[in-house]
Amino acid sequence: MKIEDVTSTTKAQRVAAHTHVKGLGLDEDGKAKQSAAGLVGQLNAREAAGLVVDLIKMKKLAGRAVLLAGPPGSGKTAIALAISHELGTKVPFCPMVGSEVYSSEVKKTEVLMENFRRAIGLRIKEVKEVYEGEVMELTPFEGDNPVGYAKAIQHVEVSLKTAKGVKKLKLDPTIYESIQKERVSVGDVIYIESNTGSVRRMGRCDVYATEFDLEAEEYVPLPKGDVHKKKEVVQDVTLHDLDVANARPQGGNDIVAMLGAMTKPKKTEITEKLRREIDKMVDRYIDQGIAELVPGVLFIDEIQMLDLECFTYLHRALESQISPIVVLASNRGTCEVRGTDGIQSPHGLPMDLLNRLLIIRTDPYNREETAQIIQIRADIEGAKLEEAGLEALTEIGVSSSLRYAVQLITPAKLHSRVSGLDALGPESVDTMRTLFLDARSSARILTEHSNAYMK
Ligand SMILES: Nc1ncnc2c1ncn2[C@@H]1O[C@H](COP(=O)(O)OP(=O)(O)OP(=O)(O)O)[C@@H](O)[C@H]1O
Ligand SMILES: [Mg+2]
């Protein structure tokens, strides 16, 4: 085998504000480590978030709401994303920002409703009758086409092999189409559902695993048992997936048709009536034990952007029978609730909603933690910091804001590179500081030169 000058295909990844956050960084007892998984300090909030994750996994928290409250830049959004990392891919996590509800085309409550349903998962377990095995033979038989001159496929013969034996199947031409779509060839392990005829390719049989040195193929063992058998198939979907898939109902309304419709993209309005239908069907499947509800997380950042109408709706949605866990974040102190005439309330949330929240507080960072966060960010943005450079950035982080300090890293890195330095020093930080102002200095300039600006 020879690998000739293979250029790396890893993408130059865009660095977003929270790329360094990989989880909550807790140990087995749920205690937060000082610095782990990209998160630094904020121990209480992280431990509380860890408990929330546990409760969500135990399904003990549905219909509850948690508020992350703290000053700007204290890591609320970062902790919420860490929660989503901890939950893994099986539990739905739907992030949104409060201001998303304002659209001229869609009603505010409609946006909220959609996101609520994105956060409720359904795990569907179905026992299906299938033919499963390694493909030993795949022969289409052609015959005369009654219309036109071209030959048409009359039937297909497929031999499937398992550890127990081989079975030859004669299949309908429509199944041949799905076999082609899945790119099945001899030596693959597949299963064919006997009542729908849909074909799934599971991978290549591991007998062939040494065929090539390097390839992008998944190998699966030769299936055990009979070729014709009952198999449990598990699928994770959200209620919103089901809504979208059924926005234009077509044929049968059992769960198979429902899932089949999901793969076809289309855009039609989802009506209240449709949602009720879906809910009814879901209820039925839950009663029959085919499906299981998986309440996920709806994360609404910048919650203070919502207005009274939305808050009322939120309240109602939380009371409903199937509801996800709602995590909110706000950086406001006591301020006016939007959409009221001047009602003041803590965090900008109405009192009745506040009363049913669990509140997790985030605190401002001390100097040491600020330095650690800046160091982590610098590493991820590929900037090499001189000790004095880190010192200068930390000073800015403490005296101005963490976010401002973090945002200066990349421009300062460019400046140091242009000046031919190999590490980022205090000069670059100072230059950038004069070029890009933070909110506070900008506000000071405005007041100092107030008569130079238009009123
Ligand atoms: N404990 C932490 N460990 C590591 N990075 C952090 C931590 N806290 C915050 N950060 C990083 O600092 C930046 C600001 O934090 P974040 O956006 O989470 O603040 P916030 O509390 O959501 O602020 P706002 O109220 O303005 O939305 C982000 O890049 C975030 O990833
Ligand atoms: Mg935030």
Side-chain angles (χ1 to χ4, degrees):
M1 184 189 72
K2 198 164 123 199
I3 303 180
E4 287 168 316
D5 308 271
V6 183
T7 47
S8 161
T9 52
T10 44
K11 281 191 215 129
Q13 214 188 6
R14 232 190 79 216
V15 180
H18 307 285
T19 13
H20 60 286
V21 179
K22 301 277 187 276
L24 284 167
L26 307 176
D27 62 17
E28 304 82 51
D29 310 332
K31 285 255 170 293
K33 299 182 196 151
Q34 212 285 325
S35 167
L39 283 183
V40 174
Q42 213 65 270
L43 304 179
N44 284 339
R46 279 161 60 201
E47 279 168 25
L51 281 178
V52 169
V53 170
D54 289 343
L55 289 171
I56 294 171
K57 284 191 176 157
M58 289 189 282
K59 303 195 182 171
K60 291 259 163 66
L61 211 61
R64 306 286 181 82
V66 175
L67 171 69
L68 291 163
S74 56
K76 298 180 294 296
T77 309
I79 289 178
L81 292 181
I83 292 181
S84 104
H85 280 290
E86 296 286 339
L87 286 175
T89 50
K90 294 273 185 247
V91 181
F93 181 91
C94 171
M96 69 176 283
V97 179
S99 46
E100 258 173 59
V101 299
Y102 301 105
S103 143
S104 54
E105 282 144 25
V106 189
K107 270 195 309 201
K108 288 181 268 195
T109 50
E110 174 63 31
V111 178
L112 279 176
M113 170 71 114
E114 184 181 314
N115 284 300
F116 258 89
R117 292 177 74 87
R118 276 179 205 275
I120 303 170
L122 197 65
R123 180 161 307 151
I124 304 162
K125 280 203 197 102
E126 271 187 296
V127 178
K128 288 180 176 164
E129 222 176 281
V130 297
Y131 292 91
E132 185 185 45
E134 180 198 338
V135 180
M136 303 298 289
E137 183 207 343
L138 183 68
T139 333
F141 283 90
E142 291 182 341
D144 286 327
N145 194 341
V147 285
Y149 298 101
K151 297 260 184 188
I153 307 281
Q154 297 272 307
H155 72 270
V156 193
E157 278 185 15
V158 175
S159 305
L160 292 179
K161 180 182 156 191
T162 65
K164 258 197 174 165
V166 182
K167 196 178 177 90
K168 197 168 192 163
L169 308 170
K170 190 172 166 187
L171 303 175
D172 190 77
T174 51
I175 299 181
Y176 187 55
E177 278 172 29
S178 31
I179 289 181
Q180 281 178 316
K181 230 184 258 155
E182 288 275 295
R183 296 172 192 277
V184 174
S185 59
V186 173
D188 292 348
V189 175
I190 63 168
Y191 70 80
I192 307 172
E193 278 175 36
S194 58
N195 55 348
T196 59
S198 71
V199 178
R200 270 287 295 281
R201 181 179 183 277
M202 320 228 313
R204 207 154 169 77
C205 190
D206 58 8
V207 185
Y208 302 90
T210 50
E211 217 173 320
F212 299 103
D213 290 319
L214 197 62
E215 56 182 322
E217 183 64 91
E218 195 176 330
Y219 290 98
V220 292
L222 187 68
K224 299 184 188 72
D226 292 318
V227 172
H228 186 192
K229 65 175 161 205
K230 291 202 159 61
K231 182 182 170 75
E232 193 179 76
V233 185
V234 180
Q235 235 171 327
D236 285 299
V237 295
T238 68
L239 290 187
H240 180 69
D241 295 339
L242 294 179
D243 292 346
V244 174
N246 293 276
R248 199 187 296 144
Q250 37 165 258
N253 65 349
D254 64 342
I255 213 138
V256 180
M258 207 154 93
L259 292 173
M262 232 166 75
T263 46
K264 295 180 198 110
K266 58 174 113 58
K267 250 197 147 58
T268 5
E269 203 189 343
I270 298 165
T271 57
E272 198 49 50
K273 183 161 163 267
L274 175 78
R275 288 206 173 105
R276 271 204 305 274
E277 296 273 299
I278 302 261
D279 285 351
K280 247 189 257 159
M281 179 158 37
V282 167
D283 275 346
R284 212 164 48 234
Y285 281 104
I286 293 175
D287 287 344
Q288 291 170 5
I290 298 171
E292 182 192 352
L293 215 52
V294 186
V297 176
L298 172 64
F299 171 52
I300 312 182
D301 209 349
E302 321 281 342
I303 185 74
Q304 69 276 355
M305 293 306 295
L306 297 186
D307 62 9
L308 194 63
E309 191 186 337
C310 298
F311 287 131
T312 317
Y313 180 83
L314 203 66
H315 208 144
R316 201 190 88 193
L318 277 171
E319 296 284 351
S320 80
Q321 225 175 29
I322 43 175
S323 162
I325 298 95
V326 179
V327 177
L328 312 171
S330 161
N331 58 13
R332 294 298 154 95
T334 300
C335 67
E336 189 187 321
V337 180
R338 269 179 90 122
T340 62
D341 15 289
I343 296 181
Q344 299 280 323
S345 185
H347 310 296
L349 302 182
M351 279 317 274
D352 48 353
L353 183 60
L354 263 179
N355 274 335
R356 56 193 343 273
L357 297 178
L358 294 172
I359 301 181
I360 299 180
R361 208 183 69 196
T362 56
D363 300 317
Y365 294 110
N366 63 27
R367 194 180 191 91
E368 202 182 320
E369 289 161 346
T370 310
Q372 275 176 315
I373 295 174
I374 290 174
Q375 186 62 58
I376 292 177
R377 286 304 303 179
D379 290 344
I380 216 147
E381 296 189 26
K384 214 164 103 203
L385 288 186
E386 245 175 60
E387 201 147 317
L390 177 61
E391 190 54 40
L393 282 170
T394 309
E395 181 54 41
I396 294 175
V398 172
S399 60
S400 172
S401 78
L402 172 63
R403 208 175 259 136
Y404 177 55
V406 166
Q407 275 167 344
L408 285 183
I409 296 177
T410 298
K413 175 181 113 184
L414 280 182
H415 179 266
S416 66
R417 192 187 302 155
V418 170
S419 337
L421 306 166
D422 43 282
L424 196 164
E427 323 74 46
S428 305
V429 175
D430 281 340
T431 321
M432 286 308 119
R433 202 181 181 178
T434 47
L435 287 183
F436 302 107
L437 303 181
D438 65 330
R440 213 169 290 168
S441 352
S442 179
R444 199 184 55 237
I445 291 170
L446 286 189
T447 34
E448 276 168 16
H449 303 274
S450 57
N451 41 13
Y453 289 89
M454 298 252 281
K455 283 269 168 1

